[in-house]
Amino acid sequence: MKVSKTLLAGAAAVAMLVNASAASAEMIGEGITMYMQMGGNPGDGATLARQTGAAQAAEAFGVDLKEQFSAWAPETMINQFKEAVAAKPTCIEIMGHPGSAAFEDLVEGAVDQGIVVTSGNSPMTDLQNAFGSKGFGYAGVDLYVGGQITANYMIDQGLKSGDEAMVYGVFSQAERGQSEKGLADTLEKAGLKVDRLEITQEANSDASLAVPVLAAYVQAHPDLKAIGTQHGGVTGVLADMLKKAGKQPGDIIVGGIDLAPATIDGLKSGYVSATLDQLLYLQGFLPVLQCVMTAKYKMPGLSINTGAGAVTSQTIDSLVDLIDAGIR
């Protein structure tokens, strides 16, 4: 009994020492400040899971994280990068919507100052090739392939050669437009007649402004069989728009992206057929990890494809709790 008590006392003392040591140990990201572009607006369906992933990574590593929101406006992203550089942080994560050319001189200037720059959501291949050895990585979907995945899920819903389809997207936005191009090209290769319609910057920032445009298009094209987009905000308004246009679930096959609350409702009701799952949580978590690994251990930029597949009306129910928690 005495021996047991002695052992227990010794074990308790060791545990106390271990806990004290862990509490006083420096976190791997201690002293690192990171500015990070989140994309849309705080808490929206195309942004929340990215916020969650970034916040949890920052907490786990001890990084001081500064969030930036742009409502998807490329000019705002450029201005935010300039503001971030002026603050002289350890690291900055940017999004590729403005394109490599718009960012090139700014990124070079930041890297010359010793700031780690990486990217997420929309790639900038030229900059990754130029500054990859300094930590410029990419966490996001292979955009063209993501569009292909969405299109193939739409085709599987019964679309056939000769059917009319419309793809609504930001075709003009550098590499960002590859998502919609992949979607449109894949539908065309399956024999569909595809109309490509550009999203204005106003609707890009506020998807509610796309509703009258889409409603008018549907009314003007009575034989329309499919609508595709790779814009999370627009995906969220499609079900309500189709209801107001007098359409029933399945009358028009809809393929979109992300898991906003309205998109979930659309999947459950059958108005949305499939939505690309680009794992936004990882698009938040991984850039913070990239920042820490480069700042602490001089590791080069990593390119990680977060496009894992699509969510359909058959698979949405098992994900709802995780979506509500801001993770999926």
Side-chain angles (χ1 to χ4, degrees):
M1 184 65 71
K2 288 183 179 179
V3 172
S4 297
K5 288 182 178 179
T6 301
L7 289 173
L8 288 172
V14 170
M16 289 176 64
L17 288 171
V18 170
N19 289 335
S21 176
S24 64
E26 181 178 314
M27 301 181 77
I28 190 174
E30 195 77 26
I32 290 177
T33 300
M34 180 178 185
Y35 279 71
M36 185 167 178
Q37 295 186 355
M38 296 294 173
N41 299 297
D44 71 29
T47 308
L48 178 58
R50 184 182 296 107
Q51 290 178 252
T52 304
Q56 291 187 354
E59 182 179 4
F61 299 131
V63 172
D64 181 10
L65 181 69
K66 311 292 187 182
E67 297 177 324
Q68 294 178 313
F69 299 92
S70 63
W72 304 113
E75 183 177 347
T76 301
M77 293 178 180
I78 293 293
N79 290 333
Q80 287 175 338
F81 184 66
K82 292 177 181 177
E83 293 168 2
V85 172
K88 301 187 183 304
T90 314
C91 183
I92 305 171
E93 185 264 7
I94 55 178
M95 292 184 167
H97 302 71
S100 294
F103 266 123
E104 184 174 9
D105 291 343
L106 297 172
V107 170
E108 183 175 10
V111 172
D112 287 346
Q113 294 180 50
I115 298 172
V116 177
V117 182
T118 189
S119 67
N121 187 253
S122 182
M124 289 172 281
T125 303
D126 291 345
L127 297 187
Q128 193 171 351
N129 290 338
F131 303 108
S133 63
K134 301 293 182 63
F136 197 111
Y138 173 63
V141 176
D142 180 326
L143 297 184
Y144 192 89
V145 173
Q148 289 179 315
I149 291 171
T150 306
N152 285 325
Y153 271 85
M154 293 171 66
I155 293 166
D156 288 344
Q157 300 300 314
L159 294 175
K160 60 185 185 298
S161 180
D163 283 346
E164 291 185 16
M166 186 268 281
V167 176
Y168 189 45
V170 287
F171 291 96
S172 63
Q173 278 192 13
E175 288 186 67
R176 166 62 184 86
Q178 289 298 314
S179 288
E180 282 84 4
K181 290 174 184 175
L183 201 166
D185 288 353
T186 303
L187 293 177
E188 286 177 340
K189 288 176 182 177
L192 279 77
K193 301 174 182 177
V194 179
D195 190 8
R196 304 179 187 216
L197 187 64
E198 182 78 17
I199 297 175
T200 65
Q201 183 51 55
E202 291 75 18
N204 188 29
S205 294
D206 182 356
S208 67
L209 299 178
V211 173
V213 175
L214 292 166
Y217 189 95
V218 170
Q219 294 297 329
H221 295 81
D223 295 326
L224 186 68
K225 298 297 183 183
I227 297 175
T229 186
Q230 294 288 267
H231 189 292
V234 169
T235 303
V237 304
L238 287 174
D240 187 55
M241 182 277 296
L242 290 171
K243 289 177 187 177
K244 291 177 178 177
K247 299 295 182 180
Q248 297 299 312
D251 286 349
I252 294 178
I253 301 302
V254 171
I257 191 169
D258 294 338
L259 293 164
T263 301
I264 297 169
D265 292 342
L267 286 165
K268 289 182 175 181
S269 67
Y271 276 100
V272 177
S273 307
T275 183
L276 184 69
D277 184 6
Q278 58 174 330
L279 302 179
L280 295 177
Y281 178 93
L282 291 181
Q283 292 186 19
F285 194 99
L286 293 173
V288 178
L289 175 62
Q290 177 72 68
C291 175
V292 173
M293 292 295 100
T294 302
K296 287 288 185 177
Y297 302 136
K298 310 300 181 186
M299 291 190 181
L302 304 174
S303 185
I304 302 176
N305 181 9
T306 64
V311 177
T312 68
S313 57
Q314 290 76 41
T315 61
I316 184 59
D317 287 340
S318 64
L319 298 175
V320 170
D321 288 345
L322 290 171
I323 294 168
D324 288 344
I327 295 172
R328 290 300 302 275

